[in-house]
Amino acid sequence: MIFVTVGTHEQQFDRLVEYMDGWAERHDEEVVIQTGFSHYKPRKANWKSIYPYRVMVEMIDSARIIITHGGPSSFILPLQIGKIPIVVPRNQRFKEHVNNHQIDFCREYKQRRDNIIVVENVNRLEETLESYDTIVGSMKRELKSNNEWFCKELEKLIDELVGLEK
């Protein structure tokens, strides 16, 4: 099963929803799409506008491939489960977002972490889906947390501010 989520942003993401519905028509694999506020209603793929969080986690856990928009919380969740997501950032040119921050963020994140597959042009999804296993074979699956480092640095900063330097 391929699970697609476009998040809950109030603008449509018809470009991705329609493409993956067409993909579902041409392939013998279940496609489930969380369509958000998209106008396009899938004919072949299973879909709902919004799935409860618990259901999203279950779908991501059971999916062979996860495709998300470029919102960090949407692509971090698969990483936390140990899966490499395909990330299709929303594009202002198609009226999918107010600017192109998802494109910029995804490019930067990919360069730093190399644990997501960024596909900006949905017409490249076919080849990415076909070679998914090969692509992820050489990628990092872990999600490194900086929480411990952040907490130590914050503690040092607070100690300096209140005069408790060690």
Side-chain angles (χ1 to χ4, degrees):
M1 183 255 289
I2 296 176
F3 180 65
V4 181
T5 178
V6 302
T8 57
H9 179 70
E10 66 271 6
Q11 288 175 277
Q12 57 75 31
F13 202 175
D14 292 334
R15 181 171 59 109
L16 178 57
V17 174
E18 187 171 357
Y19 182 89
M20 285 310 298
D21 189 44
W23 190 93
E25 289 178 359
R26 299 185 310 276
H27 296 84
D28 189 29
E29 181 166 7
E30 180 183 17
V31 174
V32 178
I33 306 173
Q34 178 267 317
T35 62
F37 292 93
S38 299
H39 304 137
Y40 180 84
K41 305 300 182 211
R43 292 180 291 246
K44 171 70 173 162
N46 296 317
W47 67 278
K48 280 182 89 170
S49 295
I50 305 291
Y51 286 101
Y53 180 76
R54 175 188 52 76
V55 174
M56 294 272 293
V57 171
E58 291 170 4
M59 296 242 198
I60 288 169
D61 190 42
S62 64
R64 181 176 75 86
I65 297 175
I66 298 97
I67 301 173
T68 79
H69 69 121
S73 62
S74 290
F75 69 75
I76 295 292
L77 182 57
L79 290 170
Q80 290 174 327
I81 296 174
K83 297 191 176 184
I84 303 286
I86 297 172
V87 181
V88 181
R90 290 170 175 267
N91 190 314
Q92 180 185 24
R93 179 172 44 144
F94 301 112
K95 298 181 175 37
E96 297 163 350
H97 221 306
V98 297
N99 58 31
N100 283 330
H101 73 276
Q102 284 195 359
I103 295 170
D104 297 337
F105 181 76
C106 290
R107 286 176 182 168
E108 183 69 24
Y109 185 91
K110 167 75 175 157
Q111 182 180 355
R112 289 180 184 211
R113 300 289 180 155
D114 194 33
N115 62 359
I116 62 173
I117 301 165
V118 179
V119 176
E120 294 180 32
N121 181 341
V122 295
N123 295 320
R124 309 263 343 246
L125 273 173
E126 181 82 28
E127 65 190 67
T128 303
L129 290 167
E130 286 177 11
S131 57
Y132 178 82
D133 292 332
T134 303
I135 295 169
V136 300
S138 63
M139 297 177 77
K140 305 172 200 169
R141 289 187 177 259
E142 78 278 352
L143 177 63
K144 182 180 175 189
S145 173
N146 289 313
N147 288 349
E148 186 177 335
W149 171 86
F150 176 81
C151 289
K152 285 180 183 177
E153 292 299 311
L154 181 61
E155 185 178 324
K156 280 196 261 182
L157 179 62
I158 291 170
D159 287 348
E160 288 175 15
L161 290 171
V162 296
L164 298 175
E165 297 176 39
K166 296 178 181 176

